[in-house]
Amino acid sequence: MDIRPPYGYQEIVPLTKQHRVLLPEARKLPLVFRNLTALPLSFTEFAAACRDYPIAFVSSDGGKNFVAMAVLGLENQQNLFVEAGGGWDGAVYLPAYVRRYPFCMTRITVDGQEQPERVACVEKRAINDKGEALHNARGEPLPVWEERKKLLFEYEADLVRSDEMSRALAGLGLLETFSMQAIPNEGAPLAMTGMYRVAEQKLGALAPEKLKELTQQGILARVYAHLISLNNFGRLLDRRSGLAKPAAPARNSKKLN
């Protein structure tokens, strides 16, 4: 049996009713997430996340499959939203990917075959006899688990909707590569590559029936949130180095005002 941990997790195991789990404090960021430059974003998070983070699409297979991500930094292993005490900045939206930790949902591979159902898992090192019990002696879920279980399962379903949106946008040929350049007050210029975004010109050229379909699916609203969020690259630069020159426009695109 093979269990692959999600992005940012280390070693996970299927959750049992006997497990006691160390739960992080509210908005306290686990060590494994403090150096991540981006985090996956689910479908319903776009409206809240676009106020604080640039939202970009990334692909690990050369543009065949895409994942929507909230960008957290301008350099590798940089999260600009971690405060000195290890907490997530209380003034910004906290992604559900972090809020669900140390739990996750994943598929299990048996004899080389990926099983269709997803299994609730937990980060192995969070299992501790001094941790919180999630079920009582009769095996019934306690409120502490009921709340997290609701988030876990709803978030997993919402990630599926995000994946479907990415496939729809890619299928219509709307995603294009872009890079972002920034000039800090001190130090060398910064450049981020390997990202994709919706091409506004191609979006505007879609047939009316396709636009209507995207609207009915709730995708068009997410596209607008994504495009507006790209202005937040400048805010990332401000977080990194204080007041600085604005980020340079992305390649293959018009300047964002």
Side-chain angles (χ1 to χ4, degrees), residues 68-122:
M69 305 281 274
V71 182
L72 311 175
L74 295 170
E75 301 170 83
N76 288 334
Q77 298 185 333
Q78 180 185 67
N79 185 340
L80 295 171
F81 296 88
V82 182
E83 298 180 324
W88 199 281
D89 185 350
V92 302
Y93 173 73
L94 180 61
Y97 200 90
V98 177
R99 286 185 277 123
R100 70 172 182 170
Y101 187 85
F103 307 104
C104 65
M105 299 287 290
T106 190
R107 286 192 172 96
I108 294 177
T109 301
V110 179
D111 296 330
Q113 297 294 321
E114 186 177 76
Q115 305 303 300
E117 65 276 2
R118 294 180 183 267
V119 177
C121 294
V122 61

